[in-house]
Amino acid sequence: MSLPGGHLQPSFLLASLKADCVNKPIFQRCQDIARIIEDFPAKELHSLFQWLIETIFGSLDGSLLGWNLRGMQEHANPNDFHTVLEFLHPGGSMMKMIYKLQAEEYKYEFPISYLPGPVRASLQERMLPECSLYHNKIQLPTAGGLSNNLSLNPFEYFMFHFAICLITQRNYPQGHLASTSNSAYFLLVDKYLKWFLPVEGNVPPPHFSNPGGAVPSPAPRSPSIPFTSYGTHPSLLKRHVCHQHLVNADPAAQEIWRSETLLQAFVEMWLHHYSVEMYHKLQSPHAKESFQPTEEHVLLVRLFVKHLHTFANSLRPEIVSLSAHSHTASPLEELKRVVIPRFVQQKLYIFLQHCFGHWPLDASFRAVLEMWLSYLQPWRYVPERSTPIISEQQNRCVPEKWTPFVQENLLIYTKLFLRFLNRALRTDLGSPKNALMVFRVAKVFSQPNLPEMIQRGEQLFLEPEPVIHHRQHRLLMSPNLGGSFLSSWQPPITDASLKVKNHVYSLEGQEHQYVQMFGTDARNLVLRLAHMIVQAKQSAKSLSDNSPDALGNQSFLSWFGMNSTEQNNSYSGNDMDEVGFNSVRKTDEHLEKALDYLCQIFRLNSSQLNQLSVSFGNLQYVNGRNLQPECMETPEGLTLTSRGRYQIVNGLRRFDIEYHGDPDLQPIRSYENATMVRLLFKLSGFLNQIFSDRMDALCARRDFLGKFCRYFLISSLPTRTISPNTSHQSLESQRPRIRLRFLASYQILFYLIVLYFFAALLSVRPISCTFYLLIGYLLYAVAMTFITERKKPHQN
């Protein structure tokens, strides 16, 4: 877009940019907008800001796609990808525009209807939400009532739209989320976290020309708002600035509000979709689920959690030991100290509870699982420092310094572990992905010293609290109530038992009936899981034993594609068709290690495991062959029992799947040429139609010729019971028919080509080679007829 000299009218500038949306690619539009941001003052940019936000992120109702940041991949369009990342970078042109508008104190309205459910519910009840992010944003009309919008500054308005972009349902193009971790949105989230929540140093100051000095912080909320509030104290920065005499002495103090805004926007938009009360109502089986997180959503939350652990663990050791009343720590260091317990813990716990209870029982649950395990292991996200070389066993051992974290997050360890056990008991552990999930959880919880920490936390919770005078004034309350998130003046709870009780009751309520992870009920669940692991291991072992490497006793005729399976025209389907024998062996290894880890965690003795192995090893296999699922005789025939259905669902036993229809009408296999199958089927049908009467007469004869024709013109189907209600055979398949479909096999075609090639080398003509081949096949047929008849001496 060419920009004429002088100032343009805002309406003309906006109309020109809208026209460019149709005519120019994204990377050119970014370059034009960047020049406008550099050249024009805040007054003209103000009229463009809301349109630009909607153009980038799409509309809040999902009708407009925007730039599709979640689906933008580098391999699809490198120019657009890199230009957008540069434009939206925390130090890029978009942020320059935001800081220009911020300096002029412009405000923008954000609809309350798109806020998280608990926030909307609080506002409808005329109660101020507990999150301080909303405290100075609510507008009251002069005529009374409640406004339908929040009044946000430019940075807040941008971050609200950026965060809510992840959860807005849109009609994306097919396959737009092929690789979430490589999308522009994922990379921008990572950049924003590292910029505004830095592990080292302070938040970089805004780089733009502002004659007024630093970007002003948001104005404090007016005290005249008539809301019944349980969290109306100002944020850490505002309280810190009010108490500190030299406000400009620490540049970080002027910019920490951006860190707090980004943090709260991500937490609110990504995690705060259920309050504690709403979540308890959802436990009813008739409750309607209002929000369903996606796998992409969970992956971004995991990235968020991992960075917050790294951010919190970067706290300088001397700050950790400071008294809570001390104000010597910088605001950013104070934020690191309380970011997990005050901002994340409760909302993440409810989010995880929802995922564990409502996520489908499939392999996509791996994303939720890894996000949960990332939160449980903050020791994995300590910033790299020079550490002495230690052994692998010492590296796995959880240091004692993490005991307070484990105790203050006890429910996230114990209750969610029990919920995972219940999920695992309803899945097929013979599936490689399900086995891997059980292995991952068992491996994490078996880390040396971690089970003991959890057990000590449970003992502290169950410890009866003695009635002592100095404790009587203490209340077990949520850390989110009675003060802002970063209230440094609240007296810390030093009693370990009271800390654990405070954690449990704040998340689940005073009436919560705690179920011990190391109690009798949980141990029974673990034994049931061990029971299923042993069964799944037996199934995996059986499949592994039938692998090509283990089958050393194949017949010579199998080299020519004439094994019994082919002769019976049967199709044996099993897991090997999808996962392969290497995956089965890997599954067996994962199950074996998971069982060992569970034994370490719950101190299961070898006699219990040996008893499980012996009982299931003897019952499941007879003569090395897989037994059928348990069935019962009914007037309608064999019917699966409930135990039989359980055996099938968990892959413990199965029916041998065999084709019982017309062999010529079997589905085309992967080892057959589809075109030849269809042509040979038509040719066979033509020949059968011409010679059907003669073949019937030949097969009806009692002499050797009749036996010869019956053996090769009538299919021999198995007569054993395969599955309930499938013991009948097709009468059509018992009629004599010419079947040429075997010639469509790639294996047969390969052998014929090799045979004719060698015949040509020996100067044998193709016609002569074909004649010799027919003579050889005729001799083979005569021999097979004699052998078959001798095995049936009493059959007429």
Side-chain angles (χ1 to χ4, degrees), residues 221 328 332 432 484 501 540 564 623 702 759 767 769 773 778 791:
R221 181 181 62 90
T328 58
L332 190 63
S484 74
K501 288 180 168 62
S564 58
N623 296 329
R702 297 289 183 175
I767 297 178
C769 181
L773 184 63
L778 182 63
K791 290 182 178 180

Side-chain angles (χ1 to χ4, degrees), residues 307-530:
H307 182 81
L308 289 184
H309 274 318
T310 307
F311 176 70
N313 292 336
S314 67
L315 183 65
R316 291 175 295 175
E318 60 270 18
I319 302 299
V320 179
S321 59
L322 287 176
S323 169
H325 297 279
S326 174
H327 292 281
T328 58
S330 69
L332 190 63
E333 297 292 338
E334 186 70 12
L335 180 61
K336 293 178 181 180
R337 186 177 67 84
V338 295
V339 61
I340 297 292
R342 296 292 178 88
F343 281 96
V344 178
Q345 186 193 70
Q346 184 186 66
K347 295 180 176 66
L348 181 65
Y349 172 72
I350 296 175
F351 181 79
L352 283 169
Q353 283 270 58
H354 175 265
C355 291
F356 272 67
H358 296 83
W359 203 276
L361 289 172
D362 58 21
S364 65
F365 185 71
R366 175 77 186 279
V368 178
L369 188 78
E370 294 298 338
M371 185 255 289
W372 171 50
L373 297 180
S374 294
Y375 182 80
L376 296 185
Q377 303 177 86
W379 47 86
R380 290 186 56 200
Y381 307 104
V382 177
E384 296 181 2
R385 296 186 177 93
S386 57
T387 55
I389 299 176
I390 55 179
S391 65
E392 181 179 356
Q393 182 66 18
Q394 290 174 328
N395 190 33
R396 288 199 71 223
C397 184
V398 180
E400 282 292 333
K401 72 174 185 177
W402 295 105
T403 299
F405 180 88
V406 174
Q407 294 176 353
E408 293 168 14
N409 291 273
L410 185 65
L411 282 176
I412 305 181
Y413 284 91
T414 60
K415 185 171 182 178
L416 293 181
F417 179 82
L418 296 179
R419 296 203 70 168
F420 174 76
L421 288 182
N422 283 298
R423 284 185 63 95
L425 291 172
R426 292 180 289 157
T427 58
D428 174 16
L429 297 185
S431 167
K433 294 180 180 179
N434 290 335
L436 177 60
M437 285 191 281
V438 174
F439 163 74
R440 289 282 297 123
V441 173
K443 181 179 180 181
V444 168
F445 277 83
S446 68
Q447 294 176 85
N449 206 29
L450 181 57
E452 290 76 12
M453 288 182 181
I454 298 174
Q455 199 162 11
R456 287 199 301 269
E458 290 191 323
Q459 293 169 355
L460 288 172
F461 175 76
L462 299 173
E463 174 186 302
E465 185 178 359
V467 180
I468 302 178
H469 178 71
H470 74 272
R471 281 188 181 179
Q472 290 178 353
H473 70 280
R474 297 183 181 177
L475 295 176
L476 296 175
M477 59 188 298
S478 168
N480 295 336
L481 307 181
S484 74
F485 287 110
L486 302 178
S487 299
S488 59
W489 47 264
Q490 286 187 345
I493 301 175
T494 56
D495 186 276
S497 176
L498 199 60
K499 274 186 177 181
V500 178
K501 288 180 168 62
N502 178 61
H503 157 71
V504 173
Y505 292 143
S506 67
L507 295 182
E508 290 289 350
Q510 296 279 351
E511 304 300 324
H512 176 63
Q513 299 295 322
Y514 182 77
V515 179
Q516 298 182 61
M517 177 176 163
F518 292 94
T520 304
D521 293 340
R523 188 177 183 85
N524 290 336
L525 288 178
V526 173
L527 287 174
R528 284 178 56 194
L529 182 61

Side-chain angles (χ1 to χ4, degrees), residues 143-157:
L146 183 66
S147 172
N148 293 325
N149 301 292
L150 296 180
S151 178
L152 305 178
N153 65 47
F155 185 82
E156 293 165 341
Y157 189 79

